[in-house]
Amino acid sequence: MKQNDKMMCMLEERQKYSIRNINKAVSDFQKNFQKPETRREFDLSDPQGLKKDRPARLSDNDPRCTVSGLQKFMGEDLNYAQRMKFQKEQLREWSLQQQRDCKNALADEKFLDDLHDKNRIELDRKTMEQQQIEQETRRAVCAATKDFNRSQAAELAERKKLDKHQKMKDDMDEISSLLQGDLLSENPEQAISSFGTHRVITDRWKGMNQDQLMAIRSFQQQQVLEKLRLKEEERQRDAEWDRQSMQAARAQLILERHQERQNRERRQALDSINAQLSQEQKSKDMKLLSLVCQYMGPDKDRAKEQKEAYSS
């Protein structure tokens, strides 16, 4: 892994170096042969365009004069020979410049290839030397590791033997202690708490003895009898309460009937008294009418009718 990492680092350095050289060559080419002034559209964005611009008109043969100015007409082409000569010269210069650029580019490419080959050969040589050194180091480390592992294995085997012997001795001591201890012998005294004999240690308690169980059962029997006695007393109280309630209801009914009988007798006596008083009153009224009839004379018949009406 270390070897692979070193090779990757070398390859990355070589690639970065190549990219840096290529970018540098491109930058130099653009700086020397692709200046902004040589572009066709440079006049559109030239910051010094207004200073470099010519006046609106220089002469009658000015090529900027338009048709509307009537200073130059189509078809005359007075500067044809000079223009063609200038164009040929310009084409020749462009061609020579392209040839020089092509030669320079080929030379730069050849130089870069040679440099890349030299760097690759040097890198391969260093890689081989590094691999040889690492192999020798690895062999030495493997030999040292083998000796160390052999000594460690012997020491580990001896330690395991001693640990096994000590573990067997500890297990025998523990078994003997458990067999003779209070846990397996179930000694009831070990569960007694230091806070009092009425409290026990739960993780050591093995249960209650026969006396404790008999005492608990006797107490439970007493509780059952006491509960039955309380239920019987409650039943008797309920029965006595029901009997008293029935007697009270019966006495209330008898008293109501007696009162009704007395009220009925009082009404009958009152009715008889009222009838007797009414009869006496009628007799008195008849006597009074009789006397009135005797004294009235001519109205004797009328008095007689009133007497009959009153009688009826």
Side-chain angles (χ1 to χ4, degrees), residues 8-23 116 119 123:
M8 290 298 295
C9 291
M10 292 179 180
L11 291 174
E12 288 178 359
E13 291 293 330
R14 185 168 61 186
Q15 185 178 6
K16 289 180 181 178
Y17 182 77
S18 300
I19 293 172
R20 185 166 58 251
N21 292 332
I22 292 172
N23 292 333
H116 179 266
N119 292 331
L123 181 62

Side-chain angles (χ1 to χ4, degrees), residues 39-173:
R39 297 176 182 174
R40 291 182 299 177
E41 65 276 12
F42 177 75
D43 56 344
L44 299 176
S45 59
D46 187 8
Q48 303 295 330
L50 296 177
K51 294 181 179 180
K52 297 178 182 179
D53 196 8
R54 292 179 294 177
R57 178 177 176 179
L58 295 176
S59 63
D60 293 336
N61 297 325
D62 192 355
R64 296 177 299 164
C65 294
T66 60
V67 177
S68 61
L70 298 176
Q71 296 180 8
K72 183 178 180 180
F73 297 96
M74 296 298 294
E76 293 182 347
D77 197 9
L78 300 178
N79 296 326
Y80 175 77
Q82 186 179 1
R83 178 169 53 80
M84 291 300 295
K85 183 179 179 181
F86 177 76
Q87 288 180 356
K88 290 179 180 180
E89 185 67 23
Q90 189 177 12
L91 287 174
R92 188 176 66 82
E93 291 293 334
W94 286 353
S95 178
L96 294 175
Q97 183 66 33
Q98 288 180 355
Q99 291 177 4
R100 287 194 298 270
D101 294 342
C102 183
K103 290 180 180 180
N104 293 331
L106 292 174
D108 293 338
E109 184 178 0
K110 184 178 180 182
F111 175 75
L112 292 176
D113 292 338
D114 295 339
L115 182 62
H116 179 266
D117 293 336
K118 291 180 181 180
N119 292 331
R120 185 178 60 186
I121 293 170
E122 183 67 20
L123 181 62
D124 293 340
R125 186 182 62 79
K126 291 181 179 180
T127 303
M128 293 298 294
E129 292 178 356
Q130 187 68 26
Q131 287 180 354
Q132 186 177 0
I133 295 172
E134 287 183 357
Q135 288 178 359
E136 294 177 356
T137 305
R138 190 180 298 111
R139 282 195 296 269
V141 170
C142 289
T145 303
K146 186 182 295 182
D147 296 337
F148 179 76
N149 291 336
R150 189 180 295 108
S151 63
Q152 288 289 326
E155 185 180 355
L156 182 62
E158 185 66 22
R159 190 184 299 112
K160 285 184 178 179
K161 184 178 179 181
L162 294 175
D163 292 342
K164 184 178 181 181
H165 180 71
Q166 185 65 30
K167 187 174 183 300
M168 290 178 64
K169 183 179 178 181
D170 294 341
D171 292 341
M172 294 300 295
D173 294 340

Side-chain angles (χ1 to χ4, degrees), residues 24 229 271 285 304:
K24 183 178 180 181
R229 185 182 63 79
D271 292 340
D285 292 338
K304 187 176 181 180

